[in-house]
Structure formats: structure tokens, C-alpha cells
Amino acid sequence: MYEQNTSMMNIPEQNAFLLPAMVEGDFSSEEIAEDADGLQMMSFQRVKIPAGGQLQFEIPTEDPDNPDYARTLEGVILYNHAACTLWPEGSEYDEDTKPLCSSVDGKTGIGEPGGACATCPMNEYGSARDGGRGKACKNMRDIYLLRSGEYLPLQLSLPPTSLRPFNDFMNLAFVARRRPSYSAIVEIGLKRTESGGYTYSVATFRKVRDLTGEDLAAVKSYSTNFKEQV
């Protein structure tokens, strides 16, 4: 599920990664800041791994009834972190239902039962309500993917079935090479998988090319500022 593509390593400027500061706009930062003043929090376009083995991402737009669709997502992973959610039984896929307990860092849960995720009985294998070997608490990972020329990243939530491919990709593409995740442009796709009579989609990951020189320095600065704000 992880590929490394070196065919684009030497492609010149036409494939340069455009950061927000590099994109010309018609309005000043001060004008935009006036509209942002008073908003409660920074929000992102949330993208999920589709259900039922579908092979397209649904990307929210300014019109909720007309989202965009894409077979792959390409950009820079500015930041990623663990997340845990415990839903009422049968409400795992009901977006109108609030979770019983959730954690934005995969370490400390807020709600019931709350507390340290590492020692929570709902976060142990075998705690699944269906009596299986899984966990009652849904372990996920949130990825903040900045696409070229955009001002805010997409927030892609990986379900438990996509965690292994992501871990393998990160270890091979970045950790083993002692490089941070923002140091390369990556492509995220989808693969249809069947198990136990169910068909579902799993995320796939491919490194498109490493960033170097001024591009890398600019992305590093942007990533650092982004993580501080988040």
C-alpha cells in the first residue's frame, strides 16, 4: 500500500508546491482578519474514508449539497495525531449523535469514562460490544493535508482499518529516513478490501517527491506555525 515514486524528483518549477503566502489574493490579511474576528475556532474541511468500498473521497465545498469528489488527494502532511472516540452502541456512524467519550490526542479522554486512554478498559482489545476481539473505543488518526495553492488543510480522519497502512508508510517514507512528514508531497488513495463478509475502503499512501531547498524551508515554517495554532 506504500509506493515511492522517483520519476518526478527532477521536475522543474511547473510542479512547485504553492503555499498560501505564495498565492496572490485580491484582499489584504487585515480585511480577512475582520471577518475571522469573533469566530470560535479554526475549522477545516473534514474528509472521511468512504464506506462500502467506494473509491472516491467526498470533499466538502461552500455548498453543502454539492461536494467535490476525487479518487486521490495530494499534498503535504502538516501534522497528524491520534484520536479516540467511544460512541453509544449502534451510533458509530450517526453524525447527529454525540460520543460518550472522545480524545483529540489519543491520550486523555473527555466524557464517560474519561481519563487516561492507555489504561481505559474501553480501549482494550476484546472490549467490543459485539463480543469480538476489537475495541469498544474507536482508535483513529487525523491527518492535516495541505494541498498546493490552498489556505487551509483538509482534515482526513483515518479509521482503524487504515491505521496499519499509514503506520507502514510513515515508517518507510519518513521515520526510517529521518525526515518529517512535511518534507514530501504525498498522494492518498483508496483500495477496496473484503473481510468477514464486509466490503470496505482502506487508505493507500504514496510519496510523490521530496521537497528540497526553498520549498522545504517554506513548508517547514508554515508547518511549525500551523501546529502552534492548532
Side-chain angles (χ1 to χ4, degrees), residues 23-85:
V23 181
E24 295 184 0
D26 296 328
F27 306 99
S28 68
S29 298
E30 290 76 15
E31 290 173 309
I32 294 175
E34 290 178 2
D35 284 336
D37 185 32
L39 296 182
Q40 293 183 350
M41 62 181 295
M42 183 184 298
S43 61
F44 309 97
Q45 293 173 302
R46 292 185 65 91
V47 179
K48 298 180 180 181
I49 302 299
Q54 297 182 58
L55 300 179
Q56 285 193 112
F57 293 102
E58 182 178 299
I59 306 170
T61 67
E62 62 274 8
D63 181 354
D65 295 326
N66 291 286
D68 287 334
Y69 294 90
R71 292 186 66 85
T72 60
L73 303 173
E74 185 175 299
V76 170
I77 298 176
L78 294 177
Y79 180 52
N80 71 92
H81 63 80
C84 298
T85 307

Side-chain angles (χ1 to χ4, degrees), residues 83-161:
C84 298
T85 307
L86 177 65
W87 298 95
E89 187 171 2
S91 301
E92 291 84 350
Y93 302 103
D94 184 359
E95 295 186 358
D96 294 326
T97 300
K98 292 184 178 180
L100 298 173
C101 183
S102 62
S103 171
V104 296
D105 60 4
K107 297 178 181 179
T108 304
I110 305 298
E112 182 62 40
C117 295
T119 57
C120 179
M122 297 292 99
N123 197 33
E124 295 180 356
Y125 287 105
S127 62
R129 298 186 178 97
D130 61 4
R133 295 184 299 173
K135 299 180 179 182
C137 184
K138 190 175 182 180
N139 294 168
M140 304 181 69
R141 195 155 197 98
D142 285 344
I143 297 175
Y144 298 86
L145 185 78
L146 182 67
R147 298 191 292 179
S148 180
E150 297 193 351
Y151 283 85
L152 288 175
L154 298 176
Q155 183 178 357
L156 174 64
S157 297
L158 298 181
T161 50

